Amino acid sequence: MIGRIAALTAVMLILLAKHGAGQALRVRVLEEGTDRTIPGALVTLTTDKGQALTRALADDRGRLSFDLSRPGEYGLIVARIGHKSLTIERIKIEAGAVVDIDARMPEAPILLPDLVVEAESSKQCGLDGQNRAASGALWSEISKALWTFELADARPANLESSTYQKRLNRAGEVVDATATEWRPADRRPFTSPPPERLLRDGFITSRGTGREYHGPDAALLLSEAFARRYCFSVRPSPDSVLVGLAFRPAGRPEQVGVEGTLWVERRSAALRSLDFGYTNVAGLPRRDMIGGQLIFSQLGGEWIISSWRMTVPFLVSVAGRDYRTGQRISRDSLTGFVERGGEARLAGSTTTRGLTIEGVVWDSVTGLPLRGATISVANGSFRAESNQDGQFQLFVSAPGAYAMAIEHPALRTYGLGSITVSARAERHEATWVNAGTPTGERLAGERCLAQGPDALPQLLLVDLGSRWTETVEVSWPGTMVGGMARRFAVAEDGVWIVADVDGNGVASFCGLPATASLTLRAGPSGQTRPTATVTPRADRVTIHSFPPPATEN
């Protein structure tokens, strides 16, 4: 009896093992003709009717495996960016069987459409046949890249990243910025809430006392819900190197929508960037400044987002009254913008040349470079100093337009605290800036009135270093030239002019003769005063410095 039970148990275990054994389809992706493996190929498992079941990426040996829940007939679609896809049908999998398939892909590059038709028909999202075909071909390549990005870990093991945040004024210039050091990347840098939530609640939502802004990520763009609610059309780029697939909401959604363009290289069909902004936004000023950009690159054999940025408005609540009802109200006032972003690189690699502002600072009056000038941007967050040739190199944390402030002791002589120059920092290239003080002609024109339609006055600047006296006197033999001084005297032996010393310790004289020898006296009358003799320069501006008098013990 015991023997029969043991035998029956053994048979049942064998049957259960056979019934429970899983099926598998193992795939090796090869290049037709050479049999070289193709790592990173995108392989889609389909039903016998062509419906997608799951997707996976080939490893660095071109291999991958699908575990199947049931036997039957399956199909494969093997794709790689920039090439035509390979379809394999009617792969029969028996119960408990493991089937090996070599997928040999022909060398068949994709040719993206050269002719672009942007016009849409009157129907919502209705495209004519030509534009529909062009959009379909472009989306096929874009979806390969997005699926490759989604299915990969989205970061090589040695990937590191840095982030930044900067404040912009209303003109879009950086006024403050912070940045992190390079550190190991532990997660995807740019992710969005689930597609269902974004399409239901909108891409701008209220959170506490502020607003929360979201952008499109790969999961959203690949979702069926997004495809149903958005329209697509092909868009050319100005340089014809790229071709774009633009998207916008279908109809007029109740919530805030998103619009943008996915840019692809015509030659390689590689996805390069995504630009996006917002639609159906009420009461949001400067929509042209609001939105973001993602840059896609291949690092370490994987496609990643190599840089990203997102700009949102910085609003403050302003209290007031409704002029019709007299009730107290508040409204949002735009004071500037906040931009957040970052970039990624392989650990140990050097950063590419870029995010650098270089240039030279000149004294336009003397024609000499300004040595030791302090150059700063973002409210002093990033600083540099000019060398003996007036040259400087300033490293910043993020691309964009910066209001660059230049400070130097010589500027005080011209009545300036600093010089402000606008400069853009671009990724992967240095920006060169020539910055100079106001020219002598400009200084003379600002400080003095013209002596006639054909001539500008001569200008003499007397620099005392500090305001250790209230007035400076200039005299010369001859007659009055410009008559521009408020206090002057004319005698048989010459002319005397007195000017006040300003808060910078500088006295200005206009309308002086260009050839006469001038005598300068500083300090109160009746005391021993420093004296100097100068001859005005022919280029209208002359500078003379008086050292402060020695202190008597």
Side-chain angles (χ1 to χ4, degrees):
M1 182 70 177
I2 295 176
R4 292 180 61 187
I5 293 176
L8 182 60
T9 302
V11 172
M12 291 179 64
L13 289 174
I14 293 173
L15 292 175
L16 288 172
K18 185 176 181 180
H19 179 73
Q23 303 73 229
L25 175 60
R26 300 188 302 197
V27 183
R28 186 174 60 157
V29 185
L30 305 171
E31 186 179 78
E32 188 178 60
T34 65
D35 275 357
R36 289 183 297 187
T37 59
I38 302 178
L42 174 65
V43 182
T44 303
L45 178 71
T46 69
T47 66
D48 57 346
K49 294 181 171 54
Q51 182 180 2
L53 293 174
T54 186
R55 295 176 176 85
L57 296 179
D59 62 17
D60 55 1
R61 297 181 301 164
R63 298 176 181 270
L64 70 156
S65 178
F66 294 106
D67 293 326
L68 307 176
S69 61
R70 64 186 66 181
E73 286 194 350
Y74 294 88
L76 292 176
I77 301 175
V78 187
R80 57 173 170 159
I81 297 172
H83 293 74
K84 292 182 179 179
S85 299
L86 170 68
T87 300
I88 303 176
E89 299 176 336
R90 303 179 67 84
I91 304 173
K92 190 172 183 179
I93 309 294
E94 302 286 350
V98 176
V99 177
D100 292 306
I101 289 287
D102 284 343
R104 289 181 167 82
M105 298 194 68
E107 182 66 23
I110 288 287
L111 297 178
L112 293 178
D114 291 327
L115 179 62
V116 175
V117 182
E118 290 190 88
E120 298 180 358
S121 72
S122 58
K123 289 185 178 181
Q124 177 175 293
C125 285
L127 302 176
D128 59 29
Q130 185 180 15
N131 208 339
R132 186 180 297 108
S135 297
L138 195 53
W139 175 247
S140 175
E141 294 307 304
I142 292 172
S143 63
K144 292 178 190 177
L146 294 177
W147 275 117
T148 300
F149 176 78
E150 272 295 286
L151 295 174
D153 184 27
R155 67 176 190 90
N158 57 339
L159 189 71
E160 59 183 10
S161 64
S162 67
T163 59
Y164 70 85
Q165 176 174 306
K166 58 186 182 181
R167 281 282 309 278
L168 314 176
N169 58 21
R170 289 174 62 94
E173 296 174 327
V174 180
V175 296
D176 190 20
T178 59
T180 66
E181 298 294 329
W182 291 96
R183 60 189 61 177
D186 56 0
R187 59 186 176 88
R188 298 192 180 197
F190 189 92
T191 57
S192 300
E196 296 77 13
R197 174 185 160 188
L198 287 174
L199 296 173
R200 181 189 69 237
D201 301 336
F203 289 81
I204 302 178
T205 56
S206 297
R207 182 179 182 182
T209 58
R211 291 178 174 179
E212 193 173 41
Y213 295 77
H214 307 287
D217 61 0
L220 173 76
L221 296 170
L222 290 169
S223 67
E224 294 183 3
F226 184 80
R228 290 194 304 268
R229 300 188 187 187
Y230 275 72
C231 303
F232 298 85
S233 61
V234 180
R235 176 176 298 174
S237 67
D239 56 9
S240 300
V241 175
L242 303 174
V243 59
L245 185 67
F247 54 88
R248 62 171 180 82
R252 296 183 60 86
E254 295 182 0
Q255 307 295 343
V256 175
V258 69
E259 62 182 355
T261 304
L262 292 147
W263 294 102
V264 176
E265 283 187 1
R266 285 185 183 272
R267 178 172 296 183
S268 65
L271 177 62
R272 287 307 175 201
S273 63
L274 163 62
D275 301 326
F276 66 89
Y278 299 99
T279 64
N280 194 31
V281 183
L284 193 60
R286 292 299 306 271
R287 279 180 48 199
D288 60 307
M289 288 287 297
I290 302 168
Q293 183 183 60
L294 308 180
I295 303 295
F296 296 90
S297 301
Q298 192 172 22
L299 291 179
E302 293 186 16
W303 283 94
I304 67 164
I305 296 176
S306 59
S307 67
W308 61 97
R309 65 171 178 83
M310 189 168 179
T311 305
V312 301
F314 189 78
L315 305 172
V316 296
S317 181
V318 178
R321 290 185 181 275
D322 189 323
Y323 74 93
R324 293 168 298 184
T325 64
Q327 293 181 340
R328 298 184 66 86
I329 59 174
S330 63
R331 63 179 178 84
D332 289 336
S333 177
L334 178 70
T335 62
F337 305 88
V338 176
E339 181 180 313
R340 297 181 179 90
E343 59 181 318
R345 70 178 185 185
L346 294 179
S349 63
T350 58
T351 55
T352 56
R353 178 181 173 90
L355 296 182
T356 305
I357 301 174
E358 300 177 353
V360 62
V361 185
W362 288 91
D363 186 331
S364 301
V365 176
T366 64
L368 299 175
L370 281 180
R371 177 182 180 180
T374 300
I375 301 95
S376 63
V377 297
N379 201 25
S381 301
F382 308 99
R383 305 173 71 89
E385 186 173 300
S386 61
N387 61 18
Q388 61 184 4
D389 298 320
Q391 296 181 353
F392 67 90
Q393 190 175 53
L394 186 67
F395 298 96
V396 296
S397 63
Y402 288 80
M404 186 170 65
I406 302 172
E407 299 174 315
H408 192 276
L411 300 180
R412 178 183 50 78
T413 305
Y414 307 140
L416 301 172
S418 63
I419 302 172
T420 301
V421 180
S422 181
R424 284 198 67 86
E426 300 291 350
R427 198 173 298 281
H428 307 312
E429 63 181 42
T431 301
W432 183 266
V433 177
N434 283 309
T437 67
T439 63
E441 182 177 358
R442 177 179 169 184
L443 287 172
E446 291 177 348
R447 292 183 175 235
C448 306
L449 297 177
Q451 303 302 297
D454 299 325
L456 284 175
Q458 298 295 329
L459 172 63
L460 171 64
L461 298 175
V462 182
D463 184 7
L464 304 175
S466 63
R467 193 171 183 178
W468 51 268
T469 183
E470 298 294 324
T471 59
V472 174
E473 177 187 288
V474 174
S475 64
W476 70 91
T479 60
M480 192 69 179
V481 175
M484 300 305 301
R486 291 187 296 108
R487 289 175 286 178
F488 66 95
V490 179
E492 291 183 359
D493 58 346
V495 177
W496 289 265
I497 296 178
V498 178
D500 294 327
V501 178
D502 63 21
N504 292 315
V506 177
S508 302
F509 295 90
C510 297
L512 302 177
T515 57
S517 179
L518 308 179
T519 300
L520 307 181
R521 295 181 179 85
S525 59
Q527 299 182 10
T528 301
R529 296 185 289 174
T531 303
T533 301
V534 299
T535 300
R537 292 174 45 175
D539 59 359
R540 299 189 181 90
V541 176
T542 304
I543 301 173
H544 179 79
S545 298
F546 268 128
T551 303
E552 297 182 0
N553 295 326

